[in-house]
Amino acid sequence: MKEKLKKYVVLFLSTFQLSAFTFGGGFVIIPLIRKKFVEQLGWIGEEEMLDLAAIAQSSPGAIVVNISILVGYRVAGVPGALLTVVGTVTPPLIIISVISLFYAAFRDNVFVNMAMCGMLAGVAAVILDVVLRLAKDIFRQKRVLPVAILAGAFVANRFLNVNIIIIILVCAAFGVLDLVRRQRSAKGAAS
């Protein structure tokens, strides 16, 4: 019981801390969650973290909340999911409440505007880092289908202006077909 309580406390405090000191949204927090739960705590595997990130990104809602629900559920079931959601949403709720009290002063402050511009540059760098890390893991597997889906989704969205929902559904269909194919080949190898 004591070990379970300790895990709950670590889950809540980890997500609270990550959420309180991360600016830039879901794509920024994914590598930080990976570092915390994969590298430092070892509660989630590298491949599983990639799967959770993909599910969080394709699910409706904020990526930060989605990824924390999935990580919390994976680590400690429903109580873990509830704790990580509370830990994730509490800091922004507090920060936005305080900022709303002083909105007029923040809006026109030159230093606040300069700080926001600097944070935008940092956010862009972190998002690029996430893309490169995820791409590196995909290319390391030397599987053609994920690379083709990645390139196709990029071209469809960037150059052909295909609706993102259609891209997500098509990618999900390819993922399911690939999963079925791999399961069949694993069954064939086991026979």
Side-chain angles (χ1 to χ4, degrees):
M1 183 68 178
K2 194 173 185 180
E3 190 65 34
K4 198 180 238 186
L5 182 62
K6 183 180 176 187
K7 187 177 268 192
Y8 290 157
V9 170
V10 170
L11 267 174
F12 175 80
L13 291 178
S14 296
T15 54
F16 185 91
Q17 179 186 18
L18 289 171
S19 181
F21 298 106
T22 304
F23 294 92
F27 293 110
V28 175
I29 205 166
I30 288 174
L32 300 174
I33 287 178
R34 182 187 154 280
K35 183 173 187 138
K36 183 69 172 181
F37 292 101
V38 175
E39 293 177 11
Q40 292 177 359
L41 297 173
W43 288 349
I44 298 175
E46 185 75 42
E47 184 74 25
E48 189 174 15
M49 185 65 206
L50 286 172
D51 293 341
L52 294 177
I55 292 167
Q57 291 173 15
S58 59
S59 300
I63 294 172
V64 174
V65 175
N66 292 344
I67 193 78
S68 38
I69 289 171
L70 294 169
V71 167
Y73 184 78
R74 168 60 183 86
V75 171
V78 174
L82 293 173
L83 284 170
T84 55
V85 167
V86 172
T88 300
V89 300
T90 302
L93 183 65
I94 293 169
I95 292 168
I96 290 174
S97 297
V98 170
I99 288 174
S100 70
L101 294 174
F102 305 104
Y103 175 72
F106 279 124
R107 181 186 61 208
D108 300 328
N109 189 308
V110 174
F111 296 110
V112 170
N113 286 328
M114 289 185 339
M116 291 297 172
C117 286
M119 281 194 265
L120 283 175
V123 167
V126 172
I127 290 173
L128 181 62
D129 179 59
V130 170
V131 169
L132 293 175
R133 283 180 192 260
L134 291 175
K136 182 177 76 172
D137 291 335
I138 289 172
F139 287 117
R140 191 181 304 149
Q141 294 174 3
K142 296 181 181 175
R143 291 179 42 222
V144 176
L145 184 62
V147 175
I149 291 172
L150 175 71
F154 175 76
V155 168
N157 183 266
R158 179 73 176 113
F159 300 111
L160 304 177
N161 294 323
V162 176
N163 188 315
I164 193 68
I165 294 171
I166 294 170
I167 294 171
I168 290 171
L169 292 174
V170 169
C171 290
F174 275 117
V176 168
L177 291 173
D178 186 49
L179 178 66
V180 169
R181 182 190 57 80
R182 286 189 285 151
Q183 286 179 341
R184 284 186 181 164
S185 56
K187 284 182 184 177
S191 301

